[in-house]
Amino acid sequence: MKKFSVLFFITFFIINALSIHGVEAYSYGDPNEEKVAEVYKEMLVKLDENPPNFTAAKKSYESVQEEIDMHMGPEPSKLILKNLADEDKQALTDNMEKLLVLNIARRLDSIENNFSEYETTKRLLAKGFATYEALSPKVEAEHPENNKKIRADFDEALQALGNPGLFGVGKKEASLDSFKQNKDEILDTLKTEFKIKSLDVGHFSESATESNAGGKKDWTDVSNIRNWIPLILIAAVIIAVVIFVVRRRRK
């Protein structure tokens, strides 16, 4: 009986440890890439060719134009397409950078408007951070202190989202006020860095669900083999305990 009790507590400890490990791993998750940011990087490569390849850059932009027009209105595209037609590399680069800042603002606004949806807001923050990663080299080169500050603000914003935990284990309360403060600091720094007067992102959808289309919640994705490993380990331990107890009783 004493051995059975020991094995029971060992099993409980293993299950508890696995649960905590699953819910306390704070990370940005898989941002699934932010397409606008990826296109920006593609365009920079094309514009750095000698001579600049505006035709290829335009083709890259057109792959996301519909999404940009839908979420931000037609004005950004009109300006960027004009820069492409005029083959104005500097103006085009500047306006693409401003577009990415607007995209970050869009993501952060969606988080604030849907703050209770943890899995979705975490993905939105990941997309916002992925967008900033595309701008980060320029910020780092010109004002490294601002790059450091923005990254710290993103980290704090992630913490502000809290964590619902798994079955209540590892739960951490969210703080909308803290998130708003981090959001304002990120956007204020970006406005100063890229000389933007207003962050009016146009008539984009306020529903945060669009960023989760095609995505799956990390710990509920049954197609991901990694999510089965803890369950398999738990089942193996339980089976081993049962077999051990049955054999002991037979003796």
Side-chain angles (χ1 to χ4, degrees), residues 12-213:
F12 176 80
F13 176 80
I14 292 173
I15 294 172
N16 190 54
L18 287 169
S19 299
I20 292 173
H21 175 75
V23 298
E24 286 190 343
Y26 252 122
S27 69
Y28 285 106
D30 178 9
N32 299 318
E33 294 186 349
E34 182 66 297
K35 186 61 177 175
V36 176
E38 294 303 310
V39 164
Y40 164 77
K41 290 186 282 188
E42 290 174 9
M43 291 175 69
L44 287 186
V45 172
K46 299 303 180 184
L47 294 175
D48 280 342
E49 293 180 8
N50 189 17
N53 192 338
F54 287 97
T55 300
K58 181 181 180 182
K59 185 176 181 180
S60 293
Y61 182 77
E62 287 174 341
S63 69
V64 292
Q65 183 182 347
E66 183 178 355
E67 179 183 352
I68 290 169
D69 291 351
M70 178 173 61
H71 295 306
M72 301 185 188
E75 294 306 317
S77 288
K78 286 181 181 178
L79 190 56
I80 289 168
L81 291 174
K82 183 179 185 302
N83 296 152
L84 284 162
D86 294 342
E87 297 191 352
D88 189 337
K89 179 180 176 179
Q90 187 59 56
L92 176 60
T93 302
D94 290 345
N95 285 321
M96 283 300 299
E97 290 168 352
K98 291 177 181 178
L99 179 65
L100 292 194
V101 174
L102 291 178
N103 192 62
I104 293 171
R106 179 171 78 91
R107 294 304 189 187
L108 297 182
D109 282 344
S110 291
I111 293 172
E112 183 177 337
N113 294 336
N114 299 270
F115 197 71
S116 62
E117 302 172 27
Y118 172 72
E119 289 293 335
T120 301
T121 55
K122 186 179 178 183
R123 290 179 185 277
L124 285 170
L125 187 62
K127 286 179 175 291
F129 185 71
T131 306
Y132 177 68
E133 286 276 60
L135 294 171
S136 178
K138 180 176 181 179
V139 180
E140 173 65 25
E142 297 182 359
H143 300 101
E145 69 281 3
N146 282 346
N147 181 55
K148 184 177 180 181
K149 183 180 186 306
I150 292 171
R151 288 179 176 276
D153 285 330
F154 266 108
D155 286 339
E156 291 177 10
L158 177 63
Q159 297 296 324
L161 297 183
N163 193 325
L166 183 61
F167 306 120
V169 179
K171 182 176 181 179
K172 181 178 179 181
E173 293 298 327
S175 173
L176 180 57
D177 289 339
S178 295
F179 174 79
K180 286 181 178 179
Q181 181 178 347
N182 296 131
K183 169 194 165 185
D184 289 343
E185 290 178 359
I186 290 169
L187 297 182
D188 286 345
T189 305
L190 288 172
K191 283 170 64 177
T192 301
E193 189 70 29
F194 292 95
K195 300 178 176 61
I196 301 174
K197 293 181 179 180
S198 172
L199 289 176
D200 180 6
V201 294
H203 54 277
F204 60 86
S205 170
E206 291 188 352
S207 172
T209 56
E210 53 94 12
S211 71
N212 206 23

